């Protein structure tokens, strides 16, 4: 792996690591968060496309790029809902583990990103480490029945959301366009889902203010800029001539370290000393596993 590919592969760590913390800090309902995030991503992608004179793809390439964005937005709505059940520092390791299992195995076994038996075994071992690390990151010293029930519900939601995240990463691999070309249509697909979801709630929830009229929806565009930066650099990283889908995705998901720690220190998501030690060890496993995949 060359140095440029590695640096690009690590850029999403910053964007996706800070994205959930910024979104949680700004606040609002999940519908406000998804509407603002996708609107910010769309604006970022539109400016980028005009600046680089990147034209929209056509035919199948356009369709799969749109489906990629639709998959992500659908999954992110579920993820934002999980944030209402448990803290971001607990939800992020779970959703990271789900995404890594589904997307990386797809890239390794169906797209050939990890050629050879030895590389596949190393990759699978790395995924096992990531799952263990994610489990350690959500460990609690004092068990509470209500908290356990909320965590189980959050896990269930995030597993369902994993399907959408898989589509986000896998769909572009079925096209003949590079990451920069698929970026804008992905953003369009994201904004389409968010707008339809917002419109549905506007019509069905008469007692709630329409998200289109709430200031917090537009403040959430800030979190969308963080996401867009990560998304663009990830799309470039996942290309076969860079890091490939499996390794590129795992590198990007080490953003869970940034997201978990900023959630703890900046959002006041408290942990006991023992919980913090176990969490840091779990995050260490995730970093170790990502490092292993870089060597494949």
């Amino acid at each position: 792996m060359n140095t440029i590919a590695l640096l690009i592969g690590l850029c999403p760590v910053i964007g996706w690591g800070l994205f959930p913390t910024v979104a949680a800090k700004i606040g609002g309902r999940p519908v406000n968060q998804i509407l603002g995030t996708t609107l910010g991503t769309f604006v970022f992608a539109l400016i980028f496309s005009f600046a680089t004179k990147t034209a929209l793809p056509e035919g199948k390439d356009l369709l799969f790029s749109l489906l990629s964005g639709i998959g992500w937005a659908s999954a992110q709505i579920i993820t934002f809902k999980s944030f209402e059940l448990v803290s971001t520092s607990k939800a992020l390791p779970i959703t990271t583990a789900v995404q890594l299992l589904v997307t990386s195995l797809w890239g390794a076994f169906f797209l050939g990103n990890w050629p050879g038996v030895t590389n596949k075994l190393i990759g699978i071992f790395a995924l096992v480490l990531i799952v263990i690390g994610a489990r350690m990151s959500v460990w609690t010293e004092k068990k509470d029945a209500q908290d356990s029930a909320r965590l189980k519900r959050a896990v269930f939601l995030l597993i369902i959301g994993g399907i959408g995240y898989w589509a986000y990463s896998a769909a572009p691999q079925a096209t003949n366009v590079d990451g920069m070309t698929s970026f804008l249509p992905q953003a369009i697909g994201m904004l389409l889902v968010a707008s339809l979801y917002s419109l549905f709630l506007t019509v069905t929830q008469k007692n709630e203010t329409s998200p289109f009229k709430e200031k917090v929806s537009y403040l959430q565009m800030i979190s969308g800029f963080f996401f867009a930066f990560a998304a663009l650099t990830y799309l470039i990283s996942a290309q076969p001539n860079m890091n490939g889908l499996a390794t590129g995705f795992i590198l990007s998901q080490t953003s869970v370290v940034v997201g978990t720690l900023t959630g703890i220190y900046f959002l006041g998501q408290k942990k006991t000393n023992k919980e913090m030690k176990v969490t840091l060890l779990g995050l260490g496993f995730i970093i170790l596993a990502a490092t292993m995949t870089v060597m494949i």
Side-chain angles (χ1 to χ4, degrees), residues 197-206 208-212:
Y197 178 59
S198 300
L199 182 61
F200 172 76
L201 292 185
T202 298
V203 173
T204 58
Q205 296 183 351
K206 300 294 186 181
E208 294 280 358
T209 304
S210 170
F212 294 108

Side-chain angles (χ1 to χ4, degrees), residues 29 36 51 87 112 125 150 187 213 242 258:
R29 296 174 288 157
S87 63
F125 179 67
R150 291 168 70 90
K213 297 180 180 179
M242 294 297 288
V258 177

Side-chain angles (χ1 to χ4, degrees), residues 146-221:
Q146 185 175 3
D147 289 343
S148 296
R150 291 168 70 90
L151 181 60
K152 288 179 181 178
R153 187 180 174 190
V155 170
F156 176 73
L157 288 174
L158 292 170
I159 289 175
I160 295 176
I163 300 172
Y165 287 130
W166 164 78
Y168 169 63
S169 293
Q173 305 299 316
T175 69
N176 296 315
V177 297
D178 58 27
M180 293 188 293
T181 305
S182 63
F183 186 39
L184 179 57
Q186 274 187 329
I188 293 173
M190 293 173 185
L191 184 58
L192 177 63
V193 170
S195 298
L196 290 175
Y197 178 59
S198 300
L199 182 61
F200 172 76
L201 292 185
T202 298
V203 173
T204 58
Q205 296 183 351
K206 300 294 186 181
N207 58 326
E208 294 280 358
T209 304
S210 170
F212 294 108
K213 297 180 180 179
E214 293 181 290
K215 180 181 178 180
V216 68
S217 294
Y218 302 99
L219 287 175
Q220 283 290 353
M221 289 177 65

Side-chain angles (χ1 to χ4, degrees), residues 10-276:
L10 290 174
C11 283
V13 175
I14 301 172
W16 279 336
L18 294 176
F19 162 60
T21 300
V22 173
K25 191 69 175 178
I26 294 173
R29 296 174 288 157
V31 65
N32 301 123
Q33 294 171 323
I34 193 64
L35 181 60
T37 295
T38 55
L39 185 57
T41 301
F42 172 73
V43 170
F44 187 102
L46 194 64
I47 293 173
F48 174 81
S49 296
F50 274 112
T52 58
K53 298 181 180 179
T54 303
L56 278 173
E58 299 178 349
K60 186 187 77 170
D61 294 337
L62 175 61
L63 175 62
F64 277 94
S65 296
L66 288 170
L67 287 175
S68 173
I70 289 171
W72 179 86
S74 302
Q76 192 61 37
I77 290 172
I78 295 174
T79 300
F80 280 141
K81 285 186 174 294
S82 76
F83 289 167
E84 292 185 319
L85 296 171
V86 296
S87 63
T88 60
S89 60
K90 287 186 176 180
L92 285 176
I94 300 170
T95 189
T96 297
V98 172
Q99 292 178 59
L100 284 167
L101 282 172
V102 175
T103 305
S104 297
L105 288 174
W106 173 267
F109 287 95
F110 289 91
L111 301 180
N113 290 162
W114 294 342
V117 176
T118 301
N119 286 335
K120 283 184 173 61
L121 289 175
I122 294 173
I124 291 173
F125 179 67
L127 290 178
V128 171
L129 280 182
I130 288 172
V131 173
I132 294 173
R135 179 65 186 88
M136 293 174 68
S137 299
V138 299
W139 178 78
T140 54
E141 188 174 0
K142 296 180 179 180
K143 304 296 181 183
D144 181 274
Q146 185 175 3
D147 289 343
S148 296
R150 291 168 70 90
L151 181 60
K152 288 179 181 178
R153 187 180 174 190
V155 170
F156 176 73
L157 288 174
L158 292 170
I159 289 175
I160 295 176
I163 300 172
Y165 287 130
W166 164 78
Y168 169 63
S169 293
Q173 305 299 316
T175 69
N176 296 315
V177 297
D178 58 27
M180 293 188 293
T181 305
S182 63
F183 186 39
L184 179 57
Q186 274 187 329
I188 293 173
M190 293 173 185
L191 184 58
L192 177 63
V193 170
S195 298
L196 290 175
Y197 178 59
S198 300
L199 182 61
F200 172 76
L201 292 185
T202 298
V203 173
T204 58
Q205 296 183 351
K206 300 294 186 181
N207 58 326
E208 294 280 358
T209 304
S210 170
F212 294 108
K213 297 180 180 179
E214 293 181 290
K215 180 181 178 180
V216 68
S217 294
Y218 302 99
L219 287 175
Q220 283 290 353
M221 289 177 65
I222 298 171
S223 64
F225 296 146
F226 281 92
F227 171 82
F229 169 74
L232 176 61
T233 50
Y234 164 66
L235 287 172
I236 297 173
S237 171
Q239 293 301 306
N241 63 336
M242 294 297 288
N243 296 309
L245 177 62
T247 299
F249 189 75
I250 288 181
L251 280 173
S252 72
Q253 290 305 293
T254 56
S255 59
V256 66
V257 177
V258 177
T260 301
L261 293 180
T262 55
I264 293 170
Y265 290 112
F266 292 102
L267 298 179
Q269 298 169 359
K270 303 296 184 182
K271 286 181 179 284
T272 65
N273 289 335
K274 185 178 288 187
E275 288 172 349
M276 193 64 193

